[in-house]
Amino acid sequence: MEKLQILTASAKYDVACTSSGSNRNNQAGGIGNTVSMGICHSFSADGRCISLLKVLMTNRCVYDCAYCVNRKSNPTRRATFTPEELADLTIQFYRRNYIEGLFLSSGVIRNPDYTTEQMISALELLRNVHQFRGYIHVKAIPGTDDVLLSRLGLLADRMSVNIELPSRESLGLLAPDKSKDSILKPMALIKEKINENSSDIVKYNHAPRFVPAGQSTQMIVGASPDSDYKILTLTEGLYRKYGLKRVFFSAYTPVVEHSLLPSLDTKPPLLREHRLYQADWLLRFYGFQANELLDEAAPNFNPLLDPKCSWALNHREQFPVDINRVPYNTLLRVPGIGVKSAQRIVAARRAGTLDFPALKKLGVVLKRAQFFITCKGKPLEGLKVGEHTLLRSLMSGQELSLIQPQYEQLSLFDDTYLSALPKAETTGLTKGGWPDV
């Protein structure tokens, strides 16, 4: 239990936990199964929604990555599971309905090959001895031999190789023991093996499955000065070249002191992480490209507007569009219209002409869409389009709260306001007497 406390705490900064994405039925004498969207969810101590036992094989590591809490130079408590301990722990937790699967990562102990051999031993015990047929997501260690990665992939449902930092320069500064090539090489191998396995399954009924849920990766946001444009461009390239299922973004939480990293009192850039996830969704499901959303002149997202609304505001010449005439791909680019509502519009307008009340029933968010669409060539009756009104309508309640002034009753006995006045006067006041912010 002491090991479990140490190694689950060390794994909490890895965010790549999703539903399984693969199917596997149970067999006589086995335990558990895997359904594509069947994993239950719980909440960890730090507030993240998790579905798996997230744990490290060991938090000992021979690498000294500046951003990592488990780096070798960081004075922290160390522990290592034996393969038997990890397999037994997973089975006991599964039988008690605590978890629906295993998410296994590890620090690098001795070298990547030895670490991977330990992980393979644990997964072989689960699959072959305990007959565990539930979901397993395992992290591949960069630098591992191809033969070992192939064995690991036959035991797991999903594999991932964390790219960590979006540029070769940042990786060289913050993770000098790693290289971009050592990370991309196993990605290419996993893609190759998945493609080979797909053809094998067609030929042979009982061919073993290799990573049936595909591969993913994770990037840290905020540990390096890389822009959103750099991150999004790399994300698009990873999807295109390596066929990744997901790219996860993790807002950097300062846990170690380092001259190249944000100070320990810096808050994690959670809103920036959220914007990147929204942009990632636009790449995967809405037909956008990275260079449409950002460019060198504007390399970062507006924190107060989601990427789709920002794009629409920057391309006002393409709007408004007639909801009854434009093709499906154009509908997807209208703020307030998602994939499902766009599909409903295309299906419904076959039966007749749509108006604004009908769009609301189809799930369109008219608060946002009304500024960019017409019905029968006419805008919404009484619509007033002003820059202030437009921006407030495009922002969600959460985003508006970020710019709402926080009012506080002045105290007659608190002189902090009086002591602040001379400083305010020297920094410049508006005509109304308020600090010019």
Side-chain angles (χ1 to χ4, degrees), residues 65-67 162-184 224 226:
C65 304
Y67 52 82
N162 280 1
I163 201 166
E164 303 292 13
L165 298 170
S167 70
R168 194 183 300 270
E169 295 77 18
S170 297
L171 201 64
L173 283 174
L174 300 178
D177 299 308
K178 297 179 181 179
S179 68
K180 197 169 183 179
D181 294 336
S182 69
I183 295 171
L184 297 180
S224 63
D226 298 291

Side-chain angles (χ1 to χ4, degrees), residues 103-122:
F103 180 99
L104 180 61
S105 184
S106 182
V108 181
I109 184 171
R110 298 191 189 178
N111 55 63
D113 287 349
Y114 178 80
T115 306
T116 303
E117 286 172 352
Q118 294 296 104
M119 298 168 75
I120 289 173
S121 297

Side-chain angles (χ1 to χ4, degrees), residues 283-302:
L283 295 181
R284 293 193 294 138
F285 299 109
Y286 287 77
F288 282 86
Q289 295 182 356
N291 58 11
E292 291 183 274
L293 300 171
L294 294 171
D295 54 34
E296 295 289 352
N300 294 302
F301 288 115
N302 184 339

